[in-house]
Amino acid sequence: MTVLAQEILNTFDRLADAEQLEIGLEILRRLVHFDFPPLTDEDFILNAEELFLALDQQEIDYE
């Protein structure tokens, strides 16, 4: 990742949740026409693992 890209992500992390959502939606709108390669099984597994870990943490936080 380039230094500029990392700076953008760092700035994004400092924004309020509402601003992050607005920017995230705009990025998704711009990406809709990209020709992405299909996801691999490993991609699905890694994303599922990250999602389940986040959900487990949320469950712990609510207890």
Side-chain angles (χ1 to χ4, degrees):
M1 182 177 306
T2 67
V3 173
L4 179 57
Q6 189 60 54
E7 288 175 12
I8 291 169
L9 291 176
N10 291 339
T11 300
F12 179 84
D13 290 339
R14 291 192 300 269
L15 296 173
D17 289 346
E19 289 177 308
Q20 287 183 353
L21 179 60
E22 186 177 344
I23 290 171
L25 289 171
E26 183 59 31
I27 289 171
L28 289 173
R29 281 187 201 100
R30 293 175 185 211
L31 290 175
V32 76
H33 300 292
F34 276 41
D35 186 24
F36 291 103
L39 294 173
T40 65
D41 288 344
E42 185 177 337
D43 293 327
F44 283 115
I45 291 167
L46 291 173
N47 284 303
E49 182 179 350
E50 186 174 328
L51 175 61
F52 285 122
L53 289 173
L55 291 172
D56 283 345
Q57 187 59 50
Q58 284 182 1
E59 186 176 13
I60 290 169
D61 293 342
Y62 287 123
E63 292 177 352

